[in-house]
Amino acid sequence: MKRSSAFTMIELVFVIVILGILAALALPRFDRDLRQEAADNVLSSIRYTQHLALNDDKTDPFDNQWQKELWAIRFTTAASGSYYNVSSDINQNGSVSKDETAIDPSNGKYMYHHHNNPVQANESPNVLLGKKYGVGSIDFTGTGCSLKHIAFDHLGRPHNSIGGASNDYSTYMNTDCNITFTFTGGSPNSFSIIIKKETGYAYIDGQDDS
């Protein structure tokens, strides 16, 4: 008689159990990747903002308000989700419009959003930290960065509170700034970006070589 080979029931059960174990081990890895992806996004945008400032000297000793025009990354926490803009307040009116915003080099779209408006097709999805990653809150720690933005001058130095800028460099950030990003529901774990005073060097907390 000709016998046909096949898996026994016990073998199939063992395969299912092993697949279940592998799936359980993979879930934490997915959480870490989501957290890392969000952290890399924010860090990259902070450094891109500094890069724009290094290549666009806004210094004007004949204009007491010139620091308002510094390239800055501004973070917002809204009911619709957290996001950031990268922009320069060219007309110094205290609010930033889309045409004053940087272009995302990864997709050619504006690094801009406003929570009062629906997301537009020409706005980069990378700025939507809430929608893309589930970031629920953004907290700034440090006396040098009390307001939720970081600006840079043509030497790459960090500034804060540029909305009330004058010609005396009082906006110059003289303490390190810690920005903590917390995910909705508390998972994955929060992460922090550190921006050093004077130099503006930014890195992911716990990843000094990031």
Side-chain angles (χ1 to χ4, degrees):
M1 293 180 62
K2 186 177 181 181
R3 295 184 178 180
S4 58
S5 59
F7 291 109
T8 65
M9 183 61 70
I10 295 178
E11 289 173 329
L12 289 173
V13 169
F14 274 124
V15 169
I16 293 172
V17 170
I18 292 172
L19 289 175
I21 293 173
L22 291 175
L25 293 174
L27 286 176
R29 178 63 183 174
F30 174 78
D31 286 345
R32 289 196 298 271
D33 285 346
L34 181 65
R35 178 178 180 271
Q36 188 66 50
E37 185 180 345
D40 288 342
N41 177 333
V42 174
L43 180 61
S44 176
S45 293
I46 291 173
R47 289 177 174 173
Y48 182 54
T49 305
Q50 188 179 40
H51 167 77
L52 292 171
L54 288 168
N55 288 280
D56 187 11
D57 187 356
K58 299 292 187 179
T59 308
D60 185 355
F62 302 104
D63 179 4
N64 288 335
Q65 305 297 311
W66 66 268
Q67 291 173 66
K68 291 181 178 181
E69 297 184 34
L70 292 175
W71 282 100
I73 182 167
R74 296 173 169 86
F75 295 91
T76 301
T77 301
S80 58
S82 301
Y83 63 92
Y84 62 84
N85 295 328
V86 176
S87 55
S88 167
D89 186 8
I90 298 172
N91 57 19
Q92 302 180 1
N93 67 353
S95 62
V96 177
S97 60
K98 188 177 293 187
D99 58 4
E100 295 175 306
T101 307
I103 299 297
D104 190 332
S106 69
N107 54 35
K109 297 183 178 183
Y110 291 103
M111 301 181 78
Y112 174 88
H113 178 61
H114 194 286
H115 58 274
N116 288 336
N117 302 320
V119 178
Q120 304 295 314
N122 62 358
E123 295 175 0
S124 174
N126 291 325
V127 308
L128 305 174
L129 298 177
K131 183 176 181 180
K132 188 169 184 178
Y133 305 109
V135 173
S137 63
I138 304 172
D139 299 298
F140 279 56
T141 304
T143 56
C145 59
S146 57
L147 298 180
K148 292 189 174 183
H149 68 261
I150 298 292
F152 297 95
D153 61 24
H154 66 292
L155 298 177
R157 298 175 300 185
H159 294 253
N160 191 253
S161 303
I162 60 174
S166 63
N167 229 348
D168 59 4
Y169 279 89
S170 61
T171 63
Y172 185 53
M173 205 171 79
N174 53 17
T175 61
D176 294 348
C177 183
N178 184 317
I179 313 175
T180 301
F181 300 81
T182 303
F183 293 85
T184 302
S187 180
N189 294 330
S190 61
F191 67 90
S192 296
I193 301 290
I194 309 297
I195 302 177
K196 302 295 289 184
K197 64 179 181 179
E198 300 178 356
T199 65
Y201 174 69
Y203 62 93
I204 301 168
D205 190 21
Q207 302 177 30
D208 294 359
D209 58 348
S210 57

